[in-house]
């Protein structure tokens, strides 16, 4: 965690010195993403959420400029997935499920457009599985079962 915070501080300094350099912004966004993951793993959900929301703002702008770019769509999947898990861990189940549904929409479209891409299929399956876990915690058993069945169907096709 300490190393990711140092990397984030360095990336922020580079962004301040040369804000026009796209690679500095990319480095800062990547560092902030890693920091968010590490913070969530240690249970610091508030700071994980803050870092993830900052990444979300960057990725949203990029997506607005290039909505058909698969990379931008994948970034939106990834950040919505991270937000969904973090919000759910914070007890904000409804908001977490909304973000996971957004993540599923992005990765589902990518998986549908590129059925041969096992990475997209795997991410879709994992998103459905993660959604099912949260639904189980919320005691919404029918929807949890539906998500688990869909995740299993996808997994059986790719493995």
């Amino acid at each position: 965690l300490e190393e990711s915070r140092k990397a984030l501080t360095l990336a922020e300094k580079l962004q301040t010195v040369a804000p026009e350099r796209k690679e500095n912004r990319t480095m800062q966004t990547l560092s902030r993403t890693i920091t968010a993951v590490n913070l969530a793993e240690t249970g610091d959900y508030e700071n994980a959420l803050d870092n993830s929301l900052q990444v979300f703002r960057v990725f949203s702008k990029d997506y607005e400029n290039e909505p058909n770019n698969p990379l931008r769509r994948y970034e939106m999947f990834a950040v919505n997935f991270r937000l969904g898990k973090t919000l759910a861990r914070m007890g904000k189940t409804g908001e977490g499920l909304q973000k996971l549904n957004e993540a599923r929409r992005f990765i589902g479209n990518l998986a549908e457009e590129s059925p041969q891409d096992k990475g997209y299929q795997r991410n879709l399956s994992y998103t459905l599985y993660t959604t099912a876990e949260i639904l189980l915690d919320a005691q919404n058993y029918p929807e949890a079962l539906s998500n688990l069945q869909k995740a299993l169907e996808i997994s059986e096709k790719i493995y």
Side-chain angles (χ1 to χ4, degrees), residues 7-17 24 28 32 54:
L8 180 57
T9 301
L10 176 62
E12 287 172 341
K13 286 179 183 176
L14 287 170
Q15 182 67 24
T16 303
V17 173
N24 289 344
Q28 182 180 11
R32 195 166 293 287
Q54 290 182 51

Side-chain angles (χ1 to χ4, degrees), residues 34-91:
I34 293 167
T35 300
V37 170
N38 290 335
L39 288 165
E41 287 176 359
T42 64
D44 187 352
Y45 300 124
E46 290 294 332
N47 284 316
L49 181 62
D50 180 56
N51 279 275
S52 292
L53 287 170
Q54 290 182 51
V55 171
F56 181 81
R57 284 190 282 280
V58 170
F59 285 173
S60 292
K61 280 185 182 180
D62 291 345
Y63 175 71
E64 285 176 21
N65 293 328
E66 301 176 87
N68 296 319
N69 182 330
L71 173 62
R72 300 299 171 227
R73 292 160 58 204
Y74 187 82
E75 289 171 342
M76 291 301 293
F77 151 71
V79 73
N80 276 291
F81 183 85
R82 170 69 32 221
L83 284 167
K85 280 185 72 168
T86 301
L87 286 162
R89 287 179 178 168
M90 294 173 75

Side-chain angles (χ1 to χ4, degrees), residues 94-126:
E95 291 175 64
L97 288 170
Q98 285 177 339
K99 288 297 181 183
L100 283 169
N101 285 333
E102 277 297 298
R104 183 172 57 201
R105 184 177 64 81
F106 279 107
I107 199 64
N109 288 339
L110 288 166
E112 188 176 308
E113 293 166 14
S114 302
Q116 76 289 353
D117 189 318
K118 288 187 178 186
Y120 290 156
Q121 304 301 324
R122 214 174 0 263
N123 281 313
L124 177 56
S125 178
Y126 187 62

